[in-house]
PDB file of all heavy atoms in Angstrom:
ATOM      1  N   TYR A 355     -52.946 -20.639   4.116  1.00  0.00           N
ATOM      2  CA  TYR A 355     -52.849 -19.303   3.528  1.00  0.00           C
ATOM      3  C   TYR A 355     -51.402 -18.993   3.123  1.00  0.00           C
ATOM      4  O   TYR A 355     -51.163 -18.395   2.067  1.00  0.00           O
ATOM      5  CB  TYR A 355     -53.343 -18.243   4.510  1.00  0.00           C
ATOM      6  CG  TYR A 355     -54.846 -18.188   4.651  1.00  0.00           C
ATOM      7  CD1 TYR A 355     -55.457 -18.221   5.911  1.00  0.00           C
ATOM      8  CD2 TYR A 355     -55.663 -18.089   3.534  1.00  0.00           C
ATOM      9  CE1 TYR A 355     -56.833 -18.156   6.055  1.00  0.00           C
ATOM     10  CE2 TYR A 355     -57.044 -18.016   3.660  1.00  0.00           C
ATOM     11  CZ  TYR A 355     -57.626 -18.057   4.921  1.00  0.00           C
ATOM     12  OH  TYR A 355     -58.993 -17.990   5.049  1.00  0.00           O
ATOM     13  N   ARG A 356     -50.460 -19.409   3.928  1.00  0.00           N
ATOM     14  CA  ARG A 356     -49.042 -19.174   3.608  1.00  0.00           C
ATOM     15  C   ARG A 356     -48.675 -19.874   2.299  1.00  0.00           C
ATOM     16  O   ARG A 356     -48.023 -19.289   1.429  1.00  0.00           O
ATOM     17  CB  ARG A 356     -48.154 -19.656   4.738  1.00  0.00           C
ATOM     18  CG  ARG A 356     -46.655 -19.408   4.471  1.00  0.00           C
ATOM     19  CD  ARG A 356     -45.794 -20.095   5.512  1.00  0.00           C
ATOM     20  NE  ARG A 356     -45.914 -19.461   6.825  1.00  0.00           N
ATOM     21  CZ  ARG A 356     -46.315 -20.104   7.922  1.00  0.00           C
ATOM     22  NH1 ARG A 356     -46.633 -21.401   7.858  1.00  0.00           N
ATOM     23  NH2 ARG A 356     -46.382 -19.477   9.077  1.00  0.00           N
ATOM     24  N   GLN A 357     -49.092 -21.134   2.164  1.00  0.00           N
ATOM     25  CA  GLN A 357     -48.774 -21.875   0.945  1.00  0.00           C
ATOM     26  C   GLN A 357     -49.390 -21.191  -0.279  1.00  0.00           C
ATOM     27  O   GLN A 357     -48.743 -21.048  -1.323  1.00  0.00           O
ATOM     28  CB  GLN A 357     -49.279 -23.314   1.035  1.00  0.00           C
ATOM     29  CG  GLN A 357     -48.928 -24.150  -0.195  1.00  0.00           C
ATOM     30  CD  GLN A 357     -49.503 -25.555  -0.157  1.00  0.00           C
ATOM     31  OE1 GLN A 357     -50.409 -25.854   0.620  1.00  0.00           O
ATOM     32  NE2 GLN A 357     -48.988 -26.429  -1.001  1.00  0.00           N
ATOM     33  N   GLY A 358     -50.648 -20.763  -0.147  1.00  0.00           N
ATOM     34  CA  GLY A 358     -51.304 -20.092  -1.264  1.00  0.00           C
ATOM     35  C   GLY A 358     -50.599 -18.818  -1.676  1.00  0.00           C
ATOM     36  O   GLY A 358     -50.400 -18.562  -2.871  1.00  0.00           O
ATOM     37  N   PHE A 359     -50.181 -18.025  -0.694  1.00  0.00           N
ATOM     38  CA  PHE A 359     -49.531 -16.753  -1.010  1.00  0.00           C
ATOM     39  C   PHE A 359     -48.134 -16.981  -1.575  1.00  0.00           C
ATOM     40  O   PHE A 359     -47.694 -16.254  -2.474  1.00  0.00           O
ATOM     41  CB  PHE A 359     -49.473 -15.873   0.245  1.00  0.00           C
ATOM     42  CG  PHE A 359     -49.073 -14.451  -0.054  1.00  0.00           C
ATOM     43  CD1 PHE A 359     -49.752 -13.702  -1.003  1.00  0.00           C
ATOM     44  CD2 PHE A 359     -48.027 -13.858   0.631  1.00  0.00           C
ATOM     45  CE1 PHE A 359     -49.383 -12.382  -1.277  1.00  0.00           C
ATOM     46  CE2 PHE A 359     -47.651 -12.548   0.362  1.00  0.00           C
ATOM     47  CZ  PHE A 359     -48.332 -11.813  -0.595  1.00  0.00           C
ATOM     48  N   GLU A 360     -47.442 -17.987  -1.093  1.00  0.00           N
ATOM     49  CA  GLU A 360     -46.114 -18.283  -1.628  1.00  0.00           C
ATOM     50  C   GLU A 360     -46.196 -18.799  -3.058  1.00  0.00           C
ATOM     51  O   GLU A 360     -45.303 -18.535  -3.872  1.00  0.00           O
ATOM     52  CB  GLU A 360     -45.401 -19.298  -0.729  1.00  0.00           C
ATOM     53  CG  GLU A 360     -44.945 -18.716   0.606  1.00  0.00           C
ATOM     54  CD  GLU A 360     -44.323 -19.761   1.521  1.00  0.00           C
ATOM     55  OE1 GLU A 360     -44.444 -20.974   1.200  1.00  0.00           O
ATOM     56  OE2 GLU A 360     -43.717 -19.371   2.537  1.00  0.00           O
ATOM     57  N   LEU A 361     -47.274 -19.519  -3.376  1.00  0.00           N
ATOM     58  CA  LEU A 361     -47.448 -20.011  -4.740  1.00  0.00           C
ATOM     59  C   LEU A 361     -47.679 -18.871  -5.715  1.00  0.00           C
ATOM     60  O   LEU A 361     -47.257 -18.943  -6.877  1.00  0.00           O
ATOM     61  CB  LEU A 361     -48.625 -20.998  -4.798  1.00  0.00           C
ATOM     62  CG  LEU A 361     -48.354 -22.387  -4.228  1.00  0.00           C
ATOM     63  CD1 LEU A 361     -49.659 -23.152  -4.053  1.00  0.00           C
ATOM     64  CD2 LEU A 361     -47.414 -23.156  -5.144  1.00  0.00           C
ATOM     65  N   ASP A 362     -48.342 -17.805  -5.270  1.00  0.00           N
ATOM     66  CA  ASP A 362     -48.594 -16.653  -6.138  1.00  0.00           C
ATOM     67  C   ASP A 362     -48.706 -15.389  -5.298  1.00  0.00           C
ATOM     68  O   ASP A 362     -49.784 -15.027  -4.839  1.00  0.00           O
ATOM     69  CB  ASP A 362     -49.876 -16.854  -6.942  1.00  0.00           C
ATOM     70  CG  ASP A 362     -50.076 -15.762  -7.991  1.00  0.00           C
ATOM     71  OD1 ASP A 362     -49.237 -14.842  -8.054  1.00  0.00           O
ATOM     72  OD2 ASP A 362     -51.054 -15.842  -8.750  1.00  0.00           O
ATOM     73  N   PRO A 363     -47.573 -14.690  -5.083  1.00  0.00           N
ATOM     74  CA  PRO A 363     -47.590 -13.477  -4.257  1.00  0.00           C
ATOM     75  C   PRO A 363     -48.416 -12.343  -4.857  1.00  0.00           C
ATOM     76  O   PRO A 363     -48.645 -11.335  -4.189  1.00  0.00           O
ATOM     77  CB  PRO A 363     -46.097 -13.087  -4.185  1.00  0.00           C
ATOM     78  CG  PRO A 363     -45.356 -14.331  -4.513  1.00  0.00           C
ATOM     79  CD  PRO A 363     -46.214 -15.064  -5.477  1.00  0.00           C
ATOM     80  N   ARG A 364     -48.855 -12.493  -6.101  1.00  0.00           N
ATOM     81  CA  ARG A 364     -49.735 -11.479  -6.698  1.00  0.00           C
ATOM     82  C   ARG A 364     -51.160 -11.620  -6.199  1.00  0.00           C
ATOM     83  O   ARG A 364     -51.965 -10.698  -6.338  1.00  0.00           O
ATOM     84  CB  ARG A 364     -49.714 -11.605  -8.230  1.00  0.00           C
ATOM     85  CG  ARG A 364     -48.371 -11.362  -8.864  1.00  0.00           C
ATOM     86  CD  ARG A 364     -48.368 -11.818 -10.301  1.00  0.00           C
ATOM     87  NE  ARG A 364     -48.697 -13.247 -10.407  1.00  0.00           N
ATOM     88  CZ  ARG A 364     -48.776 -13.915 -11.555  1.00  0.00           C
ATOM     89  NH1 ARG A 364     -48.553 -13.291 -12.690  1.00  0.00           N
ATOM     90  NH2 ARG A 364     -49.068 -15.209 -11.564  1.00  0.00           N
ATOM     91  N   ASP A 365     -51.498 -12.790  -5.652  1.00  0.00           N
ATOM     92  CA  ASP A 365     -52.857 -13.041  -5.173  1.00  0.00           C
ATOM     93  C   ASP A 365     -52.943 -12.606  -3.713  1.00  0.00           C
ATOM     94  O   ASP A 365     -52.517 -13.324  -2.805  1.00  0.00           O
ATOM     95  CB  ASP A 365     -53.191 -14.523  -5.322  1.00  0.00           C
ATOM     96  CG  ASP A 365     -54.671 -14.809  -5.082  1.00  0.00           C
ATOM     97  OD1 ASP A 365     -55.334 -14.000  -4.394  1.00  0.00           O
ATOM     98  OD2 ASP A 365     -55.167 -15.841  -5.566  1.00  0.00           O
ATOM     99  N   TYR A 366     -53.533 -11.456  -3.490  1.00  0.00           N
ATOM    100  CA  TYR A 366     -53.542 -10.872  -2.146  1.00  0.00           C
ATOM    101  C   TYR A 366     -54.584 -11.519  -1.224  1.00  0.00           C
ATOM    102  O   TYR A 366     -54.567 -11.298  -0.021  1.00  0.00           O
ATOM    103  CB  TYR A 366     -53.788  -9.362  -2.212  1.00  0.00           C
ATOM    104  CG  TYR A 366     -54.938  -8.965  -3.103  1.00  0.00           C
ATOM    105  CD1 TYR A 366     -56.245  -9.026  -2.653  1.00  0.00           C
ATOM    106  CD2 TYR A 366     -54.716  -8.540  -4.409  1.00  0.00           C
ATOM    107  CE1 TYR A 366     -57.304  -8.684  -3.454  1.00  0.00           C
ATOM    108  CE2 TYR A 366     -55.771  -8.182  -5.231  1.00  0.00           C
ATOM    109  CZ  TYR A 366     -57.065  -8.257  -4.756  1.00  0.00           C
ATOM    110  OH  TYR A 366     -58.106  -7.919  -5.569  1.00  0.00           O
ATOM    111  N   TYR A 367     -55.487 -12.338  -1.775  1.00  0.00           N
ATOM    112  CA  TYR A 367     -56.507 -12.956  -0.920  1.00  0.00           C
ATOM    113  C   TYR A 367     -55.884 -13.859   0.147  1.00  0.00           C
ATOM    114  O   TYR A 367     -56.123 -13.664   1.344  1.00  0.00           O
ATOM    115  CB  TYR A 367     -57.532 -13.722  -1.763  1.00  0.00           C
ATOM    116  CG  TYR A 367     -58.420 -14.618  -0.929  1.00  0.00           C
ATOM    117  CD1 TYR A 367     -59.414 -14.075  -0.111  1.00  0.00           C
ATOM    118  CD2 TYR A 367     -58.256 -16.003  -0.931  1.00  0.00           C
ATOM    119  CE1 TYR A 367     -60.216 -14.891   0.679  1.00  0.00           C
ATOM    120  CE2 TYR A 367     -59.054 -16.819  -0.147  1.00  0.00           C
ATOM    121  CZ  TYR A 367     -60.034 -16.261   0.655  1.00  0.00           C
ATOM    122  OH  TYR A 367     -60.816 -17.059   1.437  1.00  0.00           O
TER     123      TYR A 367
END
Side-chain angles (χ1 to χ4, degrees):
Y355 284 129
R356 181 189 290 122
Q357 182 184 16
F359 192 54
E360 288 176 349
L361 285 167
D362 188 358
R364 298 167 301 179
D365 190 337
Y366 48 81
Y367 168 73

